[in-house]
Amino acid sequence: AEFKTNVMRILDKAKITYKAHTYDHSDGAIDGAAVAEKMGQNPEQVFKTLVTKGAGRDYYVFVVPVLKELDLKKAAKSVGEKHVEMIHVKDINKVTGYIRGGCSPIGMKKVFPTTFQHEAENFDTIIFSAGKIGYQVEMPLSSLSKIIRYQTADIVIEENVNE
């Protein structure tokens, strides 16, 4: 039987259809852009999962396209916080149960409020980490509502078009 990550098991249990992808990470290139390129995927459709901590000590998950950066001001506003900051790499496992590069919005230790960059709604399916380096899942964003609470908002840094 093929290897299943915890994320895939959660999706199976919720009877959510998804497509699994695997990639070779022996070269150490695990950032989202590298992965999308290896997989021949549209990078606008591939999302990375970022975990932040709010001023009030709550954790928030933000899921953005791999080539974009999270705008911390917009992110904070989207969840009604004064400010949010990225959590330290050393805390990722403690907070989420995942490791850096293998963080998925599904199956964290707790269900944290999750916000997707609104472009995620433009695609029939989006691709994100299956909770383990080397594994991804592809599925419709709307299916996620069965297992996590999420919203969409504009949370990325606007690129300067005049460069």
Side-chain angles (χ1 to χ4, degrees):
E2 59 184 302
F3 176 79
K4 294 236 166 174
T5 67
N6 190 35
V7 168
M8 294 171 192
R9 287 192 289 268
I10 291 168
L11 292 171
D12 288 342
K13 203 171 139 200
K15 300 193 173 19
I16 293 171
T17 310
Y18 64 92
K19 191 165 148 194
H21 297 284
T22 56
Y23 60 91
D24 175 18
H25 55 92
S26 56
D27 58 1
I30 58 168
D31 61 285
V35 171
E37 194 172 312
K38 286 182 201 183
M39 301 291 297
Q41 293 159 342
N42 171 2
E44 290 177 16
Q45 203 176 347
V46 183
F47 286 75
K48 58 186 173 185
T49 305
L50 306 169
V51 185
T52 63
K53 193 174 178 177
R57 305 243 156 163
D58 288 324
Y59 293 102
Y60 299 92
V61 175
F62 295 99
V63 190
V64 301
V66 292
L67 300 180
K68 302 274 187 174
E69 293 304 318
L70 183 66
D71 182 320
L72 292 171
K73 281 202 177 77
K74 288 185 189 172
K77 197 175 154 195
S78 75
V79 293
E81 281 275 3
K82 283 193 180 67
H83 61 84
V84 296
E85 57 187 37
M86 298 294 290
I87 64 171
H88 290 291
V89 171
K90 64 173 171 48
D91 295 332
I92 292 176
N93 185 253
K94 194 173 70 191
V95 173
T96 67
Y98 290 127
I99 61 166
R100 181 173 174 268
C103 210
S104 179
I106 302 172
M108 290 192 181
K109 285 184 177 174
K110 285 196 182 126
V111 178
F112 299 113
T114 302
T115 304
F116 282 79
Q117 173 63 14
H118 64 81
E119 272 92 13
E121 295 175 309
N122 300 350
F123 298 100
D124 293 338
T125 58
I126 57 166
I127 302 164
F128 53 85
S129 171
K132 192 172 168 62
I133 292 172
Y135 296 86
Q136 296 173 318
V137 286
E138 177 174 349
M139 59 183 282
L141 174 64
S142 56
S143 302
L144 274 172
S145 59
K146 290 187 187 173
I147 42 177
I148 61 171
R149 291 195 313 277
Y150 73 85
Q151 61 170 0
T152 61
D154 176 22
I155 51 172
V156 297
I157 294 172
E158 272 315 307
E159 277 137 23
N160 184 352
V161 285
N162 305 325
E163 288 183 84

